[in-house]
Amino acid sequence: MTATHMHPYALRGLAVIVALAGATACTTYRTTTQSAITPQRDIAVRFSSPVAVHLACDSAGAADLACLADSRAALGVLELSGRFERMDGDSMLVRISALRDSLNGKVRYNPPRAAWLRAQSAVIVERHTSATRTVLLVVALTATVAAVVAGANGTSFGGDPGPKPSPSPKFF
């Protein structure tokens, strides 16, 4: 009897699924205010009406000529996501990784582009990851994958031990 073996690509695929589930499944987003955002935290901002966002401007001062020369406006922005850097008065510096506008749909920036957002009517949510839930999920998924692999390879407990040896011939 021959045991069936899982294809190496199937094992890699299962490992990728475990890694992705562990990285994304235990993330929650909580609504917050500008003054309560934790620095270096991933955020998402949804505007109540389309706004213009000026990209690549690392200075809060509107009169900064170097900043204005490097600026580019994204018009009709409905929502954006990125990393919160810091507050300066009623403005916050965000490194924008993606935005959705009313004209072009979703736009991604790699590397992220800096933008100062003024206090506007917007909903801000902050990303939080639960380390405990992530560890438990990864352990559970790893155990499941190990059971599937063991079952596919025929090495699970209580499995078929293989063919029994034939009785030896008896001579008189």
Side-chain angles (χ1 to χ4, degrees), residues 50-51 73-78 99-107:
V51 298
L75 303 175
V77 175
L78 300 170
L99 63 79
R100 187 174 65 84
D101 65 20
S102 57
L103 303 173
N104 299 322
K106 192 158 190 168
V107 179

Side-chain angles (χ1 to χ4, degrees), residues 34-168:
Q34 278 184 329
S35 59
I37 301 172
T38 307
Q40 301 303 316
R41 182 76 66 155
D42 288 335
I43 63 168
V45 180
R46 286 186 304 275
F47 300 100
S48 58
S49 60
V51 298
V53 174
H54 298 280
L55 303 170
C57 183
D58 284 336
S59 175
D64 186 350
L65 295 178
C67 177
L68 292 175
D70 192 30
S71 289
R72 190 176 76 180
L75 303 175
V77 175
L78 300 170
E79 57 187 46
L80 58 87
S81 61
R83 184 168 293 265
F84 172 75
E85 294 285 322
R86 69 179 192 267
M87 291 292 299
D88 187 3
D90 67 345
S91 298
M92 64 181 188
L93 179 62
V94 177
R95 299 278 174 193
I96 299 173
S97 57
L99 63 79
R100 187 174 65 84
D101 65 20
S102 57
L103 303 173
N104 299 322
K106 192 158 190 168
V107 179
R108 295 193 182 276
Y109 296 102
N110 191 14
R113 302 282 304 263
W116 281 97
L117 303 178
R118 305 269 183 234
Q120 301 175 26
S121 88
V123 175
I124 302 169
V125 292
E126 199 173 31
R127 180 179 175 191
H128 294 271
T129 304
S130 170
T132 304
R133 288 190 331 214
T134 301
V135 168
L136 291 175
L137 178 65
V138 169
V139 167
L141 286 173
T142 303
T144 302
V145 168
V148 168
V149 170
N153 288 332
T155 58
S156 62
F157 293 111
D160 184 14
K164 293 182 180 179
S166 62
S168 60

